[in-house]
Amino acid sequence: MRPVVLCFSGLDPSGGAGLQADIEAIGQSGAHAAIACTAVTIQSSQQVFGFEACAAALVKSQATAVLDDLPVKAIKSGMLGTTDNIAMLTHLFAEQKISKDTPFVLDPVLVANSGGSLGDEKTLVSAFRQLLPYATLITPNTHELRALSGEQDLHSGAKKLCAQGAHAVLVKTSHDFDSGDIEQYLYIEGEMVHKSILPRLEGEFHGSGCSLASFIAGRLAMEDDLIDTVKSADNWITQTLRAADDPHPDDAQAQLIPNRFVRF
């Protein structure tokens, strides 16, 4: 059987982000996605209107059913939505319901690309720090990196998250600049080990962060090296964005949806 990635993520009705992005990206990585749904959101491809989080006991029951049934080789978390859900996932690791050797990609979702709230940021930040010691890789955008680390400098922030327990941090600069190439930095145990330079494509994209983190989780489930995984994920996400679907071609400000089935 293909290696299984268990994802903790929310439902996006538009299919651009959240659990559908996880399923598609992990499938493209060569792995199989299983989902513990953490929330049902009310959103379009352009805007978040609200959400209702699933109770932690329900999310745990979903996860346990998968863990007891399938050979889970990696974990990926996206929108968790509440401190109870973050604490529940922390307990699954602490109680060794999930092996400490299982790769865990933590995408610490605080705000949607459209700017909509996905939970109370201050309390989520505090809770996310409890998960850091279990994270093989954390993939924050620049806002999330600064919120979690308390540092304005991205490199200092990455080093601080490693010092707080994360094994590795992928620093993405796409939110900091409006032009020029996008630089990404991979820190492992506080040291920068890889730098990527990606072309900045025109437009904003709905679900690019979910897709990147999930593809990485899939490749880690396939037992790929972390640096090689990030390199292949960078290439894959660039192609999905180049081929992105435009649901509102007459609106230059509209967010595009990554085409995660693109062939290249």
Side-chain angles (χ1 to χ4, degrees):
M1 181 176 180
R2 289 170 295 157
V4 177
V5 180
L6 173 57
C7 300
F8 294 81
S9 54
L11 171 66
D12 170 9
S14 78
L19 63 84
Q20 185 163 317
D22 294 340
I23 293 168
E24 293 179 0
I26 289 167
Q28 291 302 298
S29 77
H32 171 76
I35 302 291
C37 183
T38 58
V40 176
T41 71
I42 305 166
Q43 66 178 303
S44 66
S45 64
Q46 307 301 310
Q47 185 176 356
V48 176
F49 302 100
F51 75 95
E52 184 169 332
C54 296
L58 175 60
V59 180
K60 183 178 181 180
S61 293
Q62 295 177 72
T64 301
V66 173
L67 291 165
D68 289 345
D69 178 48
L70 299 177
V72 174
K73 298 298 184 182
I75 304 292
K76 185 261 181 176
S77 70
M79 178 192 179
L80 289 168
T82 66
T83 56
D84 285 347
N85 281 338
I86 297 173
M88 175 276 303
L89 181 52
T90 303
H91 290 153
L92 287 178
F93 281 104
E95 297 166 0
Q96 299 186 0
K97 301 294 185 183
I98 301 171
S99 168
K100 61 182 176 60
D101 298 323
T102 303
F104 170 37
V105 178
L106 170 58
D107 187 15
V109 177
L110 297 175
V111 178
N113 278 357
S114 57
S117 172
L118 295 175
D120 179 73
E121 181 169 308
K122 186 175 181 180
T123 56
L124 289 178
V125 164
S126 178
F128 269 127
R129 288 174 180 150
Q130 301 172 41
L131 268 177
L132 290 178
Y134 303 103
T136 304
L137 177 69
I138 181 170
T139 61
N141 61 33
T142 53
H143 172 77
E144 292 158 350
L145 178 60
R146 291 183 172 115
L148 287 167
S149 68
E151 300 285 344
Q152 286 302 303
D153 179 74
L154 300 179
H155 298 282
S156 297
K159 292 178 180 180
K160 188 168 181 179
L161 293 185
C162 287
Q164 292 175 338
H167 173 68
V169 181
L170 183 61
V171 180
K172 303 173 290 184
T173 66
S174 57
H175 284 68
D176 265 27
F177 307 100
D178 294 327
S179 60
D181 290 335
I182 296 170
E183 296 184 355
Q184 291 189 165
Y185 309 97
L186 177 63
Y187 279 80
I188 297 179
E189 296 182 347
E191 299 294 328
M192 191 174 76
V193 297
H194 176 67
K195 175 181 177 179
S196 306
I197 298 180
L198 308 178
R200 182 176 296 278
L201 305 176
E202 288 189 16
E204 295 291 329
F205 301 91
H206 181 60
S208 56
C210 305
S211 302
L212 179 67
S214 294
F215 188 91
I216 290 172
R219 294 312 306 176
L220 292 178
M222 306 277 284
E223 300 185 352
D224 283 5
D225 171 79
L226 180 54
I227 296 176
D228 290 340
T229 290
V230 169
K231 290 178 180 178
S232 63
D234 283 343
N235 182 45
W236 176 78
I237 196 66
T238 298
Q239 301 308 319
T240 70
L241 301 186
R242 287 189 191 278
D245 296 313
D246 187 353
H248 302 283
D250 296 329
D251 183 357
Q253 303 303 312
Q255 293 191 86
L256 286 69
I257 298 176
N259 179 357
R260 289 175 283 263
F261 294 101
V262 65
R263 294 185 180 276
F264 58 93

